[in-house]
């Protein structure tokens, strides 16, 4: 009993430390940044690396315009994440149902994932230039496709593990009950794959944000956080560019936090 209490206390301490230490490190960086120590360490000036209070002021003064670009980037990231995860899971089901041929799909998807986003985005944007006569629609389709491709591999590989790495003897037990393939999938394989789905999303959610931002660099339609970072750097408005960089970080953190909350809710019984 005492050992269980010690183990529980140790787990709670580890959880607290996993939050406190990163927060303290972030606070330390902000203090060094605001006091100018970071500028001396990096040998730069406050024009290229503006002080945090100036960046916060820019975000506050331009909140309406920033939110327009934030929603554009979030829409691309979430749509691409959903499509990529769905296609990846379907590929995992195919690989599970037809091992001889389906595993080849996993290999192809993994190969796509190995292509850098900066190389993939311009190619996809050129492929989709005839999708619509409206630049906004062409850009949206291209950006969503970039995120879709980058999100497929993680989901397909992890979902395949969840669909195939079953608890010992569970598959034999289903066969003993004369369960059909559909019943086996719904009652055994699908529930077993849920934790693996969240494992995949832990990789895909930050990746979808990065994919959306990078694809916006090359898109025709000038909208989105990534595009605003590029445009402001080109005209040497570094303070505004840093404001959008901070906003991009906040998008990734908030989406990841929402994923952690969803995971805690869906998997609380398993824990």
């Amino acid at each position: 009993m005492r050992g269980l209490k010690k183990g529980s206390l140790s787990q709670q301490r580890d959880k607290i430390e996993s939050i406190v230490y990163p927060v303290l490190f972030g606070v330390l960086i902000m203090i060094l940044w605001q006091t100018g120590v970071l500028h001396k360490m990096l040998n730069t000036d406050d024009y290229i690396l503006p002080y945090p209070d100036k960046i916060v002021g820019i975000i506050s003064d331009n909140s309406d315009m920033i939110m327009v670009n934030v929603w554009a980037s979030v829409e691309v990231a979430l749509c691409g994440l959903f499509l990529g995860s769905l296609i990846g899971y379907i590929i995992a089901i195919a690989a599970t149902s037809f091992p001889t041929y389906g595993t080849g799909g996993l290999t192809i998807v993994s190969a796509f994932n190995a292509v850098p986003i900066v190389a993939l985005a311009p190619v996809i944007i050129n492929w989709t230039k005839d999708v619509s006569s409206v630049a906004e629609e062409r850009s949206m389709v291209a950006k969503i496709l970039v995120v879709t491709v980058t999100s497929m591999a993680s989901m397909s590989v992890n979902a395949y593990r969840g669909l195939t790495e079953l608890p010992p003897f569970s598959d034999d037990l289903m066969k003993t009950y004369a369960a059909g393939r559909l019943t086996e999938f719904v009652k055994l394989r699908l529930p077993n794959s849920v934790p693996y789905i969240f494992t995949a999303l832990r990789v895909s959610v930050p990746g979808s944000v990065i994919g959306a931002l990078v694809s916006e660099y090359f898109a025709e339609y000038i909208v989105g956080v990534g595009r605003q970072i590029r445009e402001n750097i080109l005209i040497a408005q570094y303070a505004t560019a840093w404001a959008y960089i901070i906003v991009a970080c906040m998008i990734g953190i908030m989406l990841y936090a929402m994923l952690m909350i969803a995971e805690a809710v869906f998997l609380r019984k398993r824990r």
Side-chain angles (χ1 to χ4, degrees), residues 3-23:
L4 291 174
K5 290 183 178 180
K6 287 183 178 180
S8 178
L9 291 174
S10 178
Q11 290 179 355
Q12 292 179 357
R13 186 178 67 251
D14 291 340
K15 289 181 180 179
I16 294 173
E17 289 177 351
S18 66
I19 297 174
V20 172
Y21 288 157
V23 170

Side-chain angles (χ1 to χ4, degrees), residues 211-228:
L213 297 178
V214 173
S215 64
E216 289 167 351
Y217 270 60
F218 304 97
E220 289 182 79
Y221 197 65
I222 304 176
V223 68
V225 174
R227 189 54 179 259
Q228 295 305 317

Side-chain angles (χ1 to χ4, degrees), residues 54-255:
K54 184 176 182 179
I55 296 173
V56 172
I58 292 174
I59 295 174
S60 178
D61 295 338
N62 300 276
S63 58
D64 292 339
M65 181 59 67
I66 288 175
M67 287 307 300
V68 171
N69 291 284
V70 165
W71 288 120
S73 298
V74 170
E75 183 180 4
V76 170
L78 293 182
C79 289
L81 176 65
F82 174 76
L83 289 176
S85 299
L86 179 62
I87 295 172
Y89 197 86
I90 292 173
I91 292 172
I93 294 175
T96 304
S97 302
F98 310 100
T100 304
Y101 307 102
T103 51
L106 295 177
T107 305
I108 294 173
V109 171
S110 300
F112 269 112
N113 193 55
V115 180
I117 301 177
V118 292
L120 189 64
V123 174
I124 292 180
I125 288 171
N126 286 328
W127 282 349
T128 56
K129 63 183 179 180
D130 297 326
V131 169
S132 173
S133 58
V134 181
E136 182 180 2
E137 295 178 358
R138 291 197 301 268
S139 297
M140 180 62 69
V141 171
K143 291 184 288 187
I144 290 176
L145 284 177
V146 172
V147 179
T148 299
V149 172
T150 57
S151 301
M152 283 193 300
S154 176
M155 179 58 70
S156 61
V157 173
N158 282 279
Y160 178 74
R161 289 183 57 197
L163 293 170
T164 55
E165 296 181 3
L166 304 175
F169 307 112
S170 58
D171 192 21
D172 294 334
L173 183 61
M174 295 295 290
K175 292 178 180 177
T176 302
Y177 291 150
R181 298 185 68 177
L182 180 60
T183 304
E184 181 186 13
F185 174 79
V186 174
K187 297 292 186 180
L188 177 62
R189 297 186 184 272
L190 179 59
N192 191 69
S193 69
V194 172
Y196 293 86
I197 291 174
F198 281 103
T199 300
L201 290 175
R202 287 188 181 191
V203 178
S204 298
V205 167
S208 66
V209 176
I210 295 172
L213 297 178
V214 173
S215 64
E216 289 167 351
Y217 270 60
F218 304 97
E220 289 182 79
Y221 197 65
I222 304 176
V223 68
V225 174
R227 189 54 179 259
Q228 295 305 317
I229 294 172
R230 175 193 173 187
E231 295 297 319
N232 283 283
I233 288 176
L234 289 176
I235 60 177
Q237 294 293 326
Y238 295 110
T240 306
W242 272 103
Y244 278 102
I245 291 171
I246 298 300
V247 169
C249 295
M250 292 172 62
I251 292 172
I253 292 171
M254 292 183 65
L255 290 179

